[in-house]
Amino acid sequence: MLPTESTVGDYSVNTGVSMKSMGFNFIKRGVIVPALLAAVAVALVFGASKVLPANQQSEQTTAQAVYSARQFDSFSKLKDGDYIGKLVFSDGLEKPVTFDETVGDTLVLDKGSADVWKPGAVVIKGSGSNSQLGELRHLKKGDSFTFDISGIGTYEYKITSVKSGIRADDISALAAKNGKKKTLYLCRSYNDFSSAGKTKLYTLYTAQQTGGGNG
């Protein structure tokens, strides 16, 4: 059947769809759409490559940016989860410290701890996992480390004793009895599987402040 007069110019065949329209649809579906999808995929991959490194940066260099941080001149003015600073060990290992509750895998400074620039006891706790204190099993008497406190200063410590099998109540009692010495108790927890209730015990690293900060 011959095409009607209205469709001769576009060379349609009884469908009302012109060859020009069909050609555009073919180009759109076969070229433009795949190109757009490819562009989106490239953008997503590029975006991920920009974001992931920031998320995977060491917790030591991004602590203030990742955790809640505020200026303070006393631990008593901090809120739960606030960033305090980091412990830095002689082998280059660094562990961030937050106030009263852990944020991710941070170590925790007990709420009752004395300000390190004043006489009294500072208690910092962490689990035995490698993300917290597991990597510090090698610490021994005589080893040194620093406590870098954000916006205040760096304080130096030397370990004077290492004892295992310590209960949380014993740590609290030691801290309460601490006199005028500037003492830091670093407590690595582990489970006592010999007890029916899998009691949590601690390896206690007692360290005396030897310098830094305000002395």
Side-chain angles (χ1 to χ4, degrees):
M1 180 173 60
L2 294 176
T4 63
E5 183 178 351
S6 62
T7 57
V8 170
D10 289 337
Y11 195 61
S12 295
V13 184
N14 298 326
T15 62
V17 178
S18 69
M19 291 300 290
K20 290 181 179 178
S21 177
M22 291 176 64
F24 176 75
N25 286 334
F26 174 79
I27 293 173
K28 181 171 68 174
R29 295 177 181 176
V31 179
I32 297 176
V33 172
L36 288 173
L37 291 175
V40 171
V42 169
L44 288 174
V45 171
F46 180 77
S49 68
K50 299 292 284 183
V51 172
L52 286 176
N55 289 342
Q56 294 172 355
Q57 288 179 3
S58 68
E59 58 191 8
Q60 296 84 18
T61 59
T62 61
Q64 282 107 323
V66 174
Y67 313 122
S68 173
R70 70 183 70 246
Q71 291 184 335
F72 61 93
D73 56 12
S74 174
F75 292 153
S76 63
K77 296 182 180 180
L78 292 169
K79 295 182 179 180
D80 293 357
D82 278 350
Y83 175 78
I84 296 174
K86 60 186 177 181
L87 298 183
V88 183
F89 299 89
S90 58
D91 58 1
L93 192 65
E94 300 180 1
K95 296 293 181 179
V97 181
T98 48
F99 183 71
D100 200 48
E101 69 178 34
T102 187
V103 179
D105 288 318
T106 63
L107 306 181
V108 175
L109 183 138
D110 272 6
K111 185 173 290 187
S113 294
D115 296 326
V116 299
W117 48 93
K118 299 177 181 178
V122 176
V123 179
I124 297 177
K125 294 179 180 178
S127 73
S129 66
N130 283 340
S131 60
Q132 293 194 351
L133 291 175
E135 295 175 292
L136 301 175
R137 292 185 178 89
H138 64 279
L139 285 178
K140 61 186 184 299
K141 182 178 178 180
D143 285 348
S144 299
F145 62 91
T146 62
F147 189 6
D148 296 353
I149 301 178
S150 178
I152 292 180
T154 298
Y155 296 81
E156 302 166 358
Y157 290 87
K158 178 175 286 189
I159 296 175
T160 57
S161 70
V162 180
K163 296 180 180 179
S164 296
I166 307 298
R167 298 179 182 274
D169 290 344
D170 297 331
I171 297 172
S172 298
L174 283 171
K177 291 180 181 179
N178 191 77
K180 296 182 179 180
K181 292 183 178 180
K182 297 178 180 179
T183 306
L184 189 151
Y185 296 107
L186 183 58
C187 315
R188 175 170 57 83
S189 68
Y190 62 92
N191 290 321
D192 178 15
F193 290 101
S194 63
S195 64
K198 296 180 182 178
T199 304
K200 180 179 287 187
L201 298 175
Y202 292 88
T203 295
L204 182 65
Y205 304 89
T206 302
Q208 298 299 328
Q209 190 177 127
T210 58
N214 294 327

